[in-house]
Amino acid sequence: MTSTVPAVGTRTAQSNLQAVLLDMDGTLVDTEGFWWDAEVEVFARLGHTLDESWRHVVVGGPMSRSAGFLIEATGADITLPELTVLLNDGFENRISRTLPLMPGAARLLTELAAHEVPTALVSASHRRIIDRVLDSLGRRHFALTVAGDEVQRTKPHPDPYLHAAAGLGVEPARCAVVEDTATGVAAAEAAGCRVVAVPSVAPITPSPLRSVVSSLEKVDLPFLHALVG
């Protein structure tokens, strides 16, 4: 976990909202397809074809769960550590060529920074991947970043979001989380955060603790203030 927490005096005043915690893949950067493409490519080299329906199973999950599922589903002769390296390599190769942002991502990050709202990046991706993505997203936008290989239990467990809230010195219940998958939503809600879901691959149903919108372009600071209420 890395942190550059802003002084308490810079935090948003007269609001229940204390911080905004953002997922990365599929939320800020349009990379969920990159992960699937890397998985398809690696398993093709191993002599296996992935079923398109499995994409909804592996999206948004920790590497151990996604890779473990694909090994079991295909019967591929490869260990989890070996596959993890190959998938990270394949993904990193893709983002080195292009890294498209999700519509509205740059505008939202700029708005949060302009209003000095403490913001954290909370991802199930490993630190090596997050650091590469931060080169494009801009490290300056985040007071803290949490990687999936830096917590004992990653999403869908609440640990990453609890770590982020503690690192920022804020209450989870006063954090707004932006996520794109059911796995990430489950993690944030288990931590006690309020969630806005912007589904990328699989649909997410609304609930009393979350809002669901079609695009990040519909999410702005007033929206997040209202979400936390």
Side-chain angles (χ1 to χ4, degrees):
M1 187 191 318
T2 61
S3 175
T4 53
V5 182
V8 173
T10 67
R11 295 176 182 168
T12 305
Q14 299 178 338
S15 170
N16 286 330
L17 179 68
Q18 290 185 327
V20 176
L21 315 178
L22 297 146
D23 175 53
M24 188 177 76
D25 293 301
T27 299
L28 293 177
V29 289
D30 191 7
T31 51
E32 290 291 9
F34 288 6
W35 280 114
W36 179 247
D37 290 345
E39 289 158 352
V40 168
E41 180 183 282
V42 168
F43 277 90
R45 296 204 305 267
L46 296 171
H48 298 277
T49 301
L50 300 188
D51 191 308
E52 182 69 24
S53 66
W54 297 343
R55 184 173 182 177
H56 288 188
V57 179
V58 301
V59 67
M63 179 71 74
S64 58
R65 189 195 75 183
S66 301
F69 169 83
L70 292 174
I71 291 173
E72 183 176 354
T74 61
D77 184 18
I78 190 170
T79 67
L80 182 59
E82 290 170 338
L83 180 56
T84 296
V85 171
L86 293 178
L87 293 179
N88 275 326
D89 286 346
F91 180 81
E92 195 167 356
N93 180 55
R94 283 166 170 78
I95 64 173
S96 68
R97 298 194 297 262
T98 180
L99 185 61
L101 300 187
M102 297 298 288
R107 186 267 313 152
L108 178 59
L109 290 174
T110 299
E111 182 180 11
L112 294 173
H115 289 85
E116 298 183 314
V117 178
T119 303
L121 186 69
V122 184
S123 176
S125 290
H126 290 186
R127 170 56 58 187
R128 62 177 281 195
I129 299 298
I130 288 180
D131 284 344
R132 288 295 300 273
V133 173
L134 283 172
D135 290 339
S136 296
L137 271 180
R139 297 172 188 273
R140 66 191 180 282
H141 292 301
F142 304 101
L144 179 146
T145 64
V146 180
D149 56 344
E150 295 175 339
V151 290
Q152 185 172 0
R153 302 183 305 170
T154 189
K155 305 173 187 180
H157 298 287
D159 304 36
Y161 284 109
L162 292 175
H163 273 272
L168 293 175
V170 298
E171 301 171 29
R174 296 179 66 180
C175 293
V177 169
V178 186
E179 273 280 359
D180 73 302
T181 67
T183 299
V185 168
E189 291 182 347
C193 304
R194 293 285 180 161
V195 181
V196 53
V198 189
S200 60
V201 175
I204 298 172
T205 57
S207 82
L209 290 178
R210 80 180 72 120
S211 296
V212 179
V213 297
S214 59
S215 169
L216 200 60
E217 293 181 303
K218 298 181 181 295
V219 180
D220 56 15
L221 190 52
F223 181 102
L224 297 173
H225 281 303
L227 181 71
V228 174

